[in-house]
Every structure is written in C-alpha cells, then in structure tokens.
Amino acid sequence: MVLLRESPKIRSRYPTSARAGARVQVSALSPSRRHRYGCVLALTGILLSGLVHAQDTNEFRPYLQWRVGEFAPKWGVLDLRGISLGADFNQHWSAELALDAWQLNFEPLHSGVVFGEEQVFTLAPQARFRIPVGSDRLLLYSIVGVGGSWIQFNDRKAEGIGHRIDADGMTFSATAGLGFDYLLAPNIAFNLEGKYVWCDPIGIRIDGRRQDWDASSFLATLGLRIYFDKQPPEMLLSKAGVFKPVRFYFGTQGGFTVLTDGEWVSGAELVPKLNALGGTLNLNYTIALGADFGEHLGGELALAHTEYSLFLPGNGPVGEYSMYSAIPMLRLRFPSASGRWVPYAIAGAGVVYGEFHDVKPAGVGLGIRAKGTSPAFVAGAGVDYFIARNLSLTFESRWRYALDQKLAVPGGPTGKGDTSEIQFTVGFRAYLFEFGKRR
C-alpha cells in the first residue's frame, strides 16, 4: 500500500497509529426493505477495519453522520434513514442537528388492520457525551435531544379504501439513546446507534371519528461519521502527476430524478409520486463499489433505486413502480494540478429490475402485472472534491435509459416499453485501500 509523505503539521496532529489509519476501511448500510444489498458492504467494512489504526482527538472537529436502519423491523419501523450535522467540541462533548425519516404501518385503534402507512420526519438538536475506551479508537456515547415531528399519511392500502382518513400533523418530540463509534481512520468512523423517539400523540380522524395516534419509535441504525478535517495539499492522493495508484473505494449518493421519458406503453406512463419535491423531483439512492486505476481511468459498480407512480388514463395513479439498477461503469477522470478537484465522465450498461407494488384504490381489482429484469445503460458526468486523501465529496448527474420493461393490464395497456430519467446526486467516496508507486 502506498502512503504519501506526511507534513510536520499532520505528524503533530495525529499520533503514529492515527497516521497509519489514513488507509481508510469503510462500513456501510444495513439491510432495509428496499436496500438489502447494503449488508454485504457493512460486513466488508467491519472486517477490513482491523487493518488500520486511529485515535480520537481533543480538538474541535465538525462532522456529518449518515445512517440507515430497519435491520430488525419487528418493531414496525420501515425505510429508516437519517443524517446529522454536528461537531466535537473536545474529547467528551458534541452537539448535532439530527434529521430522521421512517415509515410506520397505520393501524387505527390497534385493530391489526393496516389502512396505509405514516411517514414520520423528526428534526432535533442533540447533545452527545462521548467516553473513549482503550486506545481511544472505540468511543461509547449517549445522546439526548428535543425537537419536532412531522407526520403524513400515505400509501393507502386496500383495507383503507372507502374510509375518510385525516392523519397528518405536527407534534413535539424528544430523543434519548446510546451508541458507539469505531474509528477506521482519523477522519472516518463506523457507527452503531440506538435511540428512542418520543412523539406527543396527534389527533386523527377516521370517518369523522377522532382518536389519538402515537408515532413514538425505537430507531436502530448503522452508519458512518465523517469528520471534515483540514488537510494540506500534499496529503491528496489524486494529485495530478504525482502518483499512479490503484485505489478501491465505497461510495454512497442521494438526490433526485427527473423523468425524461415516462411513457411506458400506449395508455400507460410513469409519473412523479405524490411526495415528489415540487411535483417533479423523485428521490434517488445509490451505493457503489469502485476502483481508480491510476490517474485517469476508473471502474465502478453502481446500485441505484428510484420509484414512480404508474398512471393509467381514466383511472389515475394505480400504484407504485420501483426500479433497482445494477450497472458497471467506466470513469474517465481528469485531476486538477492540485488534486482537490477531479472532474470525470461515466458510461456503462447493465440491468434494471422493475416491480409494481403498493396498489392504490384506483388500481384495486385491475390485475396489474409489471415485474422483471431489462437492459439499461447510463451516461453522465460529475466531480469529486477531496477534503482528505481518503475521502471526497461527489456531485454527479447521469442519464439512465431502461429498455423493454414489461407491463400487463388485463383488458388494458399491455406490452414492452422504454423509460428514461436524469439523476442528480450528492454523496461521498471513501477509499478502502490502495496499491501503487510514486512516479
């Protein structure tokens, strides 16, 4: 493995064990209902983390924490994701602003009958008290916070058809929990966290009958905590003309998609979901494993998920259609002389798996079938901004075209069609390990 020459500033800031940890190993996602493949990446990060050394510091350090959950949905939490922006003030105290989003099955009066789902968002300032353990590579912590929750009814099920449901609202919430960080490198930590979110019940109405509904939930997540430490230019691996390493990375991105061709077959089309931002921008999630082969050429396997509403004229939105893509891509990179900015172009071909689900009232009894795998290709461009030699922020735009997706509606639209979208995403790439020599 190759390491860059360390400046005196870096030597003074981190001990020997921490500097060796610049060869970052990363853990990743927990399985969820729509992202099961992330479990493999999490296990990979944990196993590889034994190859590096890092320590906590007693300095002011801003960070971003990214997390996902639902690896034990027995307590009813679905599609759990969260992000926090915060800072360590010293070796013990931290503060952060935490945003969490998840869904719960909506069962009025605890009847066991699911009328739909409730989307819950919480935003809360939190205080974090950390206790270093052993060599300071492992940090146990507790968190407490207060904030607000926003609750919205969506994804009405068949049992909810015919009922007048008013189940939206805002309420006070409080959080408390425990967790630990395991430093994989001086600027990246694997994170496991469990916290309980107390939500003051909101008043809802079912067919005019009022009742209280409680969205309080236990949230368990896996994630990464990424510190935004300043790094001198000589600490950048991608500096043009200095190194030709082979570098392996894990990346994740989130953002929005815009349909450029939603017409599926004659009489059927994909349209933005009701919760699309501005009625146009649907959510997109991507995880990737890749490698940079020297200064300019790279390869990546990108796994992405998008979801739309299926619209039939005369019926309206009849349900949701999810697309999961697995696309190997080539990356052509153009590092700047300083190495901080690395623009790149991407292109690749792979497959998309599509599945129709969450039937809406207008789609009940239609017998819609839309499930299967079809070819797809991607082209786009992006830029990496290196904030450390093992970590870059990523801004990317790509066009994805899916061919021959199957749809069958008895007595209605039937056949194969193509769809396309533009994806706009923001994320990061964390470099796992590298091989190479100085020129």
Side-chain angles (χ1 to χ4, degrees), residues 74-394:
K74 293 180 180 180
W75 48 76
V77 172
L78 308 171
D79 298 338
L80 171 58
R81 302 178 184 90
I83 190 170
S84 295
L85 289 175
D88 293 348
F89 300 119
N90 52 44
Q91 201 166 18
H92 294 291
W93 287 103
S94 308
E96 63 186 32
L97 182 64
L99 173 65
D100 291 287
W102 69 95
Q103 296 197 86
L104 299 170
N105 285 329
F106 180 61
E107 304 176 14
L109 298 175
H110 305 287
S111 62
V113 178
V114 179
F115 281 15
E117 295 179 349
E118 289 276 11
Q119 178 71 62
V120 184
F121 297 92
T122 63
L123 183 65
Q126 297 180 159
R128 197 164 66 102
F129 181 73
R130 299 159 26 243
I131 302 175
V133 177
S135 65
D136 293 349
R137 187 174 173 184
L138 175 66
L139 297 101
L140 306 181
Y141 66 85
S142 60
I143 50 173
V144 293
V146 295
S149 295
W150 292 261
I151 302 168
Q152 180 184 40
F153 176 74
N154 61 19
D155 285 346
R156 184 188 295 260
K157 307 300 182 185
E159 291 79 1
I161 297 173
H163 294 281
R164 290 182 291 112
I165 300 174
D166 180 7
D168 298 349
M170 294 186 295
T171 187
F172 169 82
S173 62
T175 63
L178 300 171
F180 74 78
D181 286 341
Y182 186 72
L183 288 162
L184 308 177
N187 58 339
I188 300 178
F190 167 74
N191 174 256
L192 176 64
E193 183 176 289
K195 66 182 179 182
Y196 193 81
V197 180
W198 287 273
C199 297
D200 195 37
I202 64 170
I204 66 172
R205 291 186 180 274
I206 308 295
D207 297 326
R209 181 182 178 184
R210 189 187 184 283
Q211 59 181 277
D212 289 334
W213 191 78
D214 189 351
S216 299
S217 302
F218 176 71
L219 309 183
T221 56
L222 293 168
L224 297 174
R225 197 180 307 275
I226 299 170
Y227 288 92
F228 299 105
D229 293 335
K230 292 182 179 180
Q231 300 284 344
E234 63 266 25
M235 295 301 294
L236 297 177
L237 277 173
S238 59
K239 191 172 182 181
V242 176
F243 285 93
K244 281 190 174 181
V246 176
R247 302 186 293 151
F248 296 87
Y249 62 82
F250 159 78
T252 184
Q253 301 171 27
F256 304 99
T257 65
V258 177
L259 284 162
T260 53
D261 181 11
E263 185 177 357
W264 198 340
V265 299
S266 179
E269 62 179 318
L270 297 179
V271 298
K273 293 179 61 179
L274 293 177
N275 64 352
L277 185 64
T280 302
L281 303 176
N282 284 271
L283 295 178
N284 169 268
Y285 305 98
T286 303
I287 61 174
L289 288 174
D292 294 343
F293 304 106
E295 190 173 324
H296 296 292
L297 184 62
E300 180 175 291
L301 174 63
L303 309 174
H305 168 255
T306 56
E307 188 173 81
Y308 298 100
S309 291
L310 175 59
F311 183 90
L312 300 181
N315 297 87
V318 295
E320 297 179 356
Y321 186 72
S322 290
M323 288 187 282
Y324 306 85
S325 63
I327 299 182
M329 298 186 298
L330 289 177
R331 288 207 310 148
L332 188 59
R333 306 165 57 254
F334 305 93
S336 65
S338 68
R340 287 202 178 273
W341 293 96
V342 184
Y344 61 86
I346 54 174
V351 296
V352 166
Y353 172 77
E355 182 179 23
F356 179 74
H357 59 94
D358 286 346
V359 180
K360 305 302 180 187
V364 174
L366 295 182
I368 299 171
R369 298 189 305 275
K371 185 177 182 179
T373 302
S374 59
F377 61 85
V378 162
V383 61
D384 284 327
Y385 177 74
F386 279 83
I387 58 177
R389 71 188 207 171
N390 57 0
L391 182 67
S392 70
L393 297 181
T394 301

